[in-house]
Amino acid sequence: DISDRVIFPISEFERRGIEDARFVKFTKEDGSPIYYATYTAFDGALIMPKLLQTTDFYDFKIGPLHGAGAQNKNLALFPRKINGQYVMLSRIDGWNNYLMYSDKITVWDNPIMIQSPKFSWEFVQIGNCGSPIETEKGWLVLTHGVGPMRRYCLSACLLDLEDPMKEIGRLREPLLIPNNDEREGYVPNVLYSCGGIIHNDELIIPYGLSDYCSSFASVNLTSLLDKLTGPDRSEND
Protein backbone atom coordinates (compact mmCIF):
# COMPACT_ATOMS: atom_id res chain seq x y z
CA ASP A 1 0.00 0.00 0.00
CA ILE A 2 1.55 3.29 -1.10
CA SER A 3 0.07 5.02 1.95
CA ASP A 4 2.47 2.97 4.09
CA ARG A 5 5.55 4.05 2.15
CA VAL A 6 8.16 5.86 4.28
CA ILE A 7 11.44 7.19 2.88
CA PHE A 8 14.27 7.23 5.42
CA PRO A 9 17.68 8.98 5.33
CA ILE A 10 20.27 6.71 3.70
CA SER A 11 23.53 8.70 3.61
CA GLU A 12 25.79 10.79 5.83
CA PHE A 13 24.49 13.91 4.10
CA GLU A 14 20.99 13.02 5.35
CA ARG A 15 21.81 11.93 8.87
CA ARG A 16 19.85 14.80 10.45
CA GLY A 17 16.94 14.62 8.05
CA ILE A 18 15.41 14.78 4.59
CA GLU A 19 13.14 17.79 4.22
CA ASP A 20 10.56 19.51 2.03
CA ALA A 21 10.17 16.89 -0.71
CA ARG A 22 8.39 18.39 -3.71
CA PHE A 23 6.89 15.44 -5.60
CA VAL A 24 5.70 15.78 -9.18
CA LYS A 25 4.32 13.41 -11.79
CA PHE A 26 6.53 14.15 -14.79
CA THR A 27 5.35 13.31 -18.30
CA LYS A 28 8.20 12.24 -20.56
CA GLU A 29 8.32 13.11 -24.25
CA ASP A 30 6.97 9.66 -25.18
CA GLY A 31 3.97 10.24 -22.91
CA SER A 32 5.04 7.84 -20.16
CA PRO A 33 5.06 9.04 -16.54
CA ILE A 34 7.85 9.09 -13.98
CA TYR A 35 7.74 10.56 -10.49
CA TYR A 36 10.42 12.96 -9.29
CA ALA A 37 10.95 14.70 -5.98
CA THR A 38 13.43 17.42 -5.15
CA TYR A 39 14.32 17.54 -1.48
CA THR A 40 16.84 18.93 1.00
CA ALA A 41 19.37 16.63 2.66
CA PHE A 42 20.63 17.93 6.03
CA ASP A 43 23.63 16.61 7.94
CA GLY A 44 23.31 18.94 10.93
CA ALA A 45 25.45 21.71 9.46
CA LEU A 46 25.08 21.81 5.69
CA ILE A 47 22.23 21.26 3.23
CA MET A 48 22.37 19.49 -0.13
CA PRO A 49 19.66 19.56 -2.83
CA LYS A 50 18.89 16.03 -4.05
CA LEU A 51 16.63 14.37 -6.59
CA LEU A 52 14.57 11.22 -6.09
CA GLN A 53 12.93 9.33 -8.95
CA THR A 54 10.64 6.33 -9.18
CA THR A 55 8.07 4.77 -11.49
CA ASP A 56 6.30 2.56 -8.94
CA PHE A 57 7.13 3.85 -5.41
CA TYR A 58 8.83 0.53 -4.67
CA ASP A 59 12.22 1.19 -6.24
CA PHE A 60 13.88 4.59 -5.93
CA LYS A 61 16.93 6.23 -7.46
CA ILE A 62 18.44 9.10 -5.49
CA GLY A 63 21.34 11.43 -6.25
CA PRO A 64 22.59 15.00 -5.75
CA LEU A 65 21.81 17.96 -7.97
CA HIS A 66 24.72 19.94 -9.41
CA GLY A 67 25.41 23.39 -10.81
CA ALA A 68 25.31 27.04 -9.83
CA GLY A 69 21.51 26.92 -9.69
CA ALA A 70 21.32 23.85 -7.46
CA GLN A 71 21.92 25.80 -4.29
CA ASN A 72 19.90 26.51 -1.16
CA LYS A 73 16.36 25.12 -0.79
CA ASN A 74 13.14 25.47 -2.82
CA LEU A 75 13.99 23.57 -6.00
CA ALA A 76 10.79 22.59 -7.82
CA LEU A 77 10.65 20.79 -11.17
CA PHE A 78 8.06 21.57 -13.85
CA PRO A 79 5.95 18.49 -14.76
CA ARG A 80 7.11 18.36 -18.39
CA LYS A 81 9.79 19.77 -20.64
CA ILE A 82 9.25 23.18 -22.22
CA ASN A 83 10.76 23.74 -25.66
CA GLY A 84 12.73 20.52 -25.28
CA GLN A 85 14.35 21.33 -21.93
CA TYR A 86 13.77 20.56 -18.27
CA VAL A 87 12.65 23.58 -16.25
CA MET A 88 13.11 24.24 -12.54
CA LEU A 89 12.14 26.90 -10.02
CA SER A 90 14.67 27.77 -7.32
CA ARG A 91 15.55 30.30 -4.62
CA ILE A 92 19.33 30.32 -4.73
CA ASP A 93 19.81 33.54 -2.75
CA GLY A 94 17.24 32.78 -0.05
CA TRP A 95 14.97 35.73 -0.91
CA ASN A 96 13.82 35.66 -4.55
CA ASN A 97 12.34 33.20 -7.03
CA TYR A 98 14.49 32.04 -9.95
CA LEU A 99 13.91 29.91 -13.03
CA MET A 100 16.36 27.64 -14.85
CA TYR A 101 16.45 25.52 -18.01
CA SER A 102 18.62 22.44 -18.48
CA ASP A 103 19.24 19.63 -20.95
CA LYS A 104 20.17 17.35 -18.05
CA ILE A 105 17.88 16.89 -15.08
CA THR A 106 20.72 16.68 -12.55
CA VAL A 107 22.68 19.78 -13.66
CA TRP A 108 21.30 23.30 -13.21
CA ASP A 109 23.10 26.51 -14.16
CA ASN A 110 22.27 30.07 -15.23
CA PRO A 111 19.39 30.83 -12.84
CA ILE A 112 17.41 33.94 -13.79
CA MET A 113 15.42 35.89 -11.19
CA ILE A 114 11.73 36.10 -12.09
CA GLN A 115 10.15 37.32 -8.84
CA SER A 116 11.16 39.36 -5.82
CA PRO A 117 9.19 40.39 -2.72
CA LYS A 118 6.60 43.03 -3.53
CA PHE A 119 4.05 43.18 -0.70
CA SER A 120 4.40 43.72 3.05
CA TRP A 121 3.42 40.13 3.93
CA GLU A 122 6.33 38.78 1.83
CA PHE A 123 8.96 41.50 2.21
CA VAL A 124 11.51 39.22 3.97
CA GLN A 125 11.49 36.49 1.30
CA ILE A 126 9.38 34.60 -1.20
CA GLY A 127 9.65 31.05 -2.48
CA ASN A 128 7.72 28.33 -4.24
CA CYS A 129 5.54 25.74 -2.54
CA GLY A 130 6.05 22.89 -4.96
CA SER A 131 6.07 22.10 -8.64
CA PRO A 132 3.98 24.30 -10.96
CA ILE A 133 0.57 22.94 -11.97
CA GLU A 134 -0.38 23.18 -15.63
CA THR A 135 -3.75 24.83 -16.35
CA GLU A 136 -5.27 26.22 -19.54
CA LYS A 137 -4.51 29.74 -18.29
CA GLY A 138 -0.87 29.15 -17.38
CA TRP A 139 1.44 27.50 -14.85
CA LEU A 140 -0.14 27.84 -11.42
CA VAL A 141 2.54 28.18 -8.75
CA LEU A 142 1.83 28.07 -5.04
CA THR A 143 4.18 30.42 -3.22
CA HIS A 144 5.09 31.33 0.33
CA GLY A 145 5.92 34.75 1.65
CA VAL A 146 7.65 35.71 4.88
CA GLY A 147 6.77 39.03 6.47
CA PRO A 148 6.74 40.75 9.88
CA MET A 149 7.21 38.54 12.95
CA ARG A 150 8.58 35.87 10.58
CA ARG A 151 5.02 34.99 9.57
CA TYR A 152 4.88 32.47 6.71
CA CYS A 153 1.83 32.86 4.44
CA LEU A 154 0.76 30.92 1.35
CA SER A 155 -0.17 32.60 -1.92
CA ALA A 156 -0.15 31.94 -5.68
CA CYS A 157 1.02 33.28 -9.02
CA LEU A 158 0.52 32.36 -12.68
CA LEU A 159 3.32 31.98 -15.24
CA ASP A 160 3.08 31.83 -19.04
CA LEU A 161 2.78 28.28 -20.41
CA GLU A 162 5.32 28.69 -23.22
CA ASP A 163 7.62 31.17 -21.48
CA PRO A 164 7.44 30.80 -17.69
CA MET A 165 9.89 33.69 -17.33
CA LYS A 166 6.77 35.81 -17.88
CA GLU A 167 4.52 36.34 -14.87
CA ILE A 168 0.86 36.68 -15.88
CA GLY A 169 -0.33 37.62 -12.42
CA ARG A 170 0.33 37.39 -8.70
CA LEU A 171 -2.13 37.61 -5.82
CA ARG A 172 -1.91 40.86 -3.89
CA GLU A 173 -3.00 39.13 -0.68
CA PRO A 174 -2.16 35.69 0.77
CA LEU A 175 -4.40 32.70 0.20
CA LEU A 176 -3.71 31.41 3.72
CA ILE A 177 -2.25 32.97 6.85
CA PRO A 178 -1.65 31.33 10.26
CA ASN A 179 -4.69 31.80 12.47
CA ASN A 180 -4.58 31.83 16.27
CA ASP A 181 -4.85 28.04 16.46
CA GLU A 182 -2.03 27.53 13.95
CA ARG A 183 0.62 29.91 15.25
CA GLU A 184 2.06 27.87 18.13
CA GLY A 185 4.50 25.04 17.52
CA TYR A 186 8.11 23.95 17.18
CA VAL A 187 8.58 26.61 14.47
CA PRO A 188 5.86 29.16 15.32
CA ASN A 189 3.81 31.41 13.04
CA VAL A 190 4.36 29.28 9.94
CA LEU A 191 2.16 27.75 7.24
CA TYR A 192 4.13 25.77 4.67
CA SER A 193 3.29 23.54 1.73
CA CYS A 194 5.27 21.45 -0.77
CA GLY A 195 2.61 21.23 -3.47
CA GLY A 196 -1.05 21.03 -4.39
CA ILE A 197 -3.34 19.03 -6.67
CA ILE A 198 -6.41 19.83 -8.74
CA HIS A 199 -9.55 17.75 -8.18
CA ASN A 200 -13.00 18.57 -9.57
CA ASP A 201 -12.13 22.23 -10.20
CA GLU A 202 -10.77 22.58 -6.67
CA LEU A 203 -7.15 23.28 -5.80
CA ILE A 204 -6.32 21.11 -2.79
CA ILE A 205 -3.46 22.47 -0.67
CA PRO A 206 -1.97 20.26 2.06
CA TYR A 207 0.12 22.29 4.47
CA GLY A 208 2.05 22.08 7.72
CA LEU A 209 1.26 24.16 10.79
CA SER A 210 4.24 25.55 12.69
CA ASP A 211 6.03 22.19 12.41
CA TYR A 212 3.65 20.40 14.78
CA CYS A 213 0.80 19.04 12.62
CA SER A 214 -0.71 19.20 9.14
CA SER A 215 -3.99 20.19 7.54
CA PHE A 216 -5.37 21.04 4.10
CA ALA A 217 -7.37 23.77 2.41
CA SER A 218 -9.31 23.91 -0.85
CA VAL A 219 -9.74 26.82 -3.25
CA ASN A 220 -12.03 26.99 -6.27
CA LEU A 221 -9.70 26.78 -9.26
CA THR A 222 -11.82 28.85 -11.64
CA SER A 223 -12.14 31.68 -9.14
CA LEU A 224 -8.41 31.61 -8.40
CA LEU A 225 -7.44 31.72 -12.08
CA ASP A 226 -9.91 34.55 -12.68
CA LYS A 227 -8.24 36.46 -9.86
CA LEU A 228 -4.79 35.82 -11.32
CA THR A 229 -5.79 36.94 -14.82
CA GLY A 230 -8.26 39.70 -13.94
CA PRO A 231 -7.81 43.46 -13.51
CA ASP A 232 -7.00 43.18 -9.79
CA ARG A 233 -3.94 40.99 -10.31
CA SER A 234 -0.43 42.20 -9.66
CA GLU A 235 2.10 41.98 -12.47
CA ASN A 236 5.88 42.19 -12.45
CA ASP A 237 7.16 45.66 -13.14
Side-chain angles (χ1 to χ4, degrees):
D1 187 337
I2 193 173
S3 65
D4 295 330
R5 194 73 64 245
V6 178
I7 302 171
F8 288 95
I10 60 171
S11 74
E12 281 296 302
F13 294 107
E14 301 172 348
R15 65 179 181 269
R16 293 297 297 273
I18 53 179
E19 305 173 353
D20 301 340
R22 286 156 159 76
F23 278 87
V24 62
K25 181 181 180 180
F26 186 93
T27 302
K28 296 191 285 187
E29 290 171 294
D30 63 4
S32 62
I34 186 171
Y35 298 89
Y36 290 111
T38 53
Y39 70 91
T40 300
F42 183 53
D43 66 2
L46 301 174
I47 62 172
M48 174 185 288
K50 301 188 79 172
L51 181 73
L52 174 153
Q53 57 181 289
T54 183
T55 57
D56 55 13
F57 286 88
Y58 285 96
D59 298 303
F60 299 87
K61 181 179 179 180
I62 297 173
L65 293 170
H66 305 279
Q71 308 294 325
N72 215 309
K73 299 183 177 183
N74 269 224
L75 293 167
L77 185 69
F78 280 66
R80 63 170 173 84
K81 288 184 176 181
I82 300 176
N83 298 321
Q85 291 185 296
Y86 296 103
V87 191
M88 183 90 81
L89 292 172
S90 70
R91 196 191 67 207
I92 61 169
D93 58 10
W95 299 286
N96 306 291
N97 277 332
Y98 289 76
L99 189 136
M100 304 173 287
Y101 289 89
S102 179
D103 294 322
K104 190 173 182 180
I105 198 169
T106 56
V107 180
W108 297 92
D109 288 305
N110 304 314
I112 298 174
M113 190 172 73
I114 60 170
Q115 292 174 324
S116 58
K118 180 183 289 189
F119 305 110
S120 61
W121 49 271
E122 61 179 13
F123 81 93
V124 174
Q125 71 180 52
I126 60 172
N128 71 73
C129 285
S131 293
I133 301 170
E134 187 169 6
T135 75
E136 62 180 12
K137 298 290 183 68
W139 294 106
L140 177 61
V141 181
L142 290 172
T143 61
H144 69 263
V146 184
M149 302 299 293
R150 200 178 173 272
R151 185 182 71 168
Y152 275 68
C153 303
L154 302 185
S155 191
C157 68
L158 196 67
L159 306 178
D160 186 83
L161 281 177
E162 298 305 318
D163 183 6
M165 294 282 184
K166 298 178 181 177
E167 182 188 79
I168 296 171
R170 189 194 307 192
L171 294 183
R172 295 179 179 274
E173 299 292 338
L175 276 174
L176 294 170
I177 63 174
N179 62 36
N180 289 337
D181 295 329
E182 298 172 335
R183 293 180 58 189
E184 300 300 324
Y186 180 70
V187 182
N189 217 20
V190 171
L191 297 186
Y192 197 82
S193 179
C194 288
I197 59 172
I198 294 173
H199 180 69
N200 289 339
D201 199 40
E202 291 288 310
L203 174 65
I204 312 300
I205 309 171
Y207 63 94
L209 315 175
S210 300
D211 272 22
Y212 82 92
C213 71
S214 60
S215 185
F216 72 92
S218 63
V219 181
N220 181 265
L221 179 64
T222 299
S223 297
L224 178 58
L225 293 177
D226 286 346
K227 192 79 171 178
L228 287 166
T229 56
D232 293 333
R233 74 187 189 277
S234 173
E235 299 176 86
N236 268 349
D237 298 328

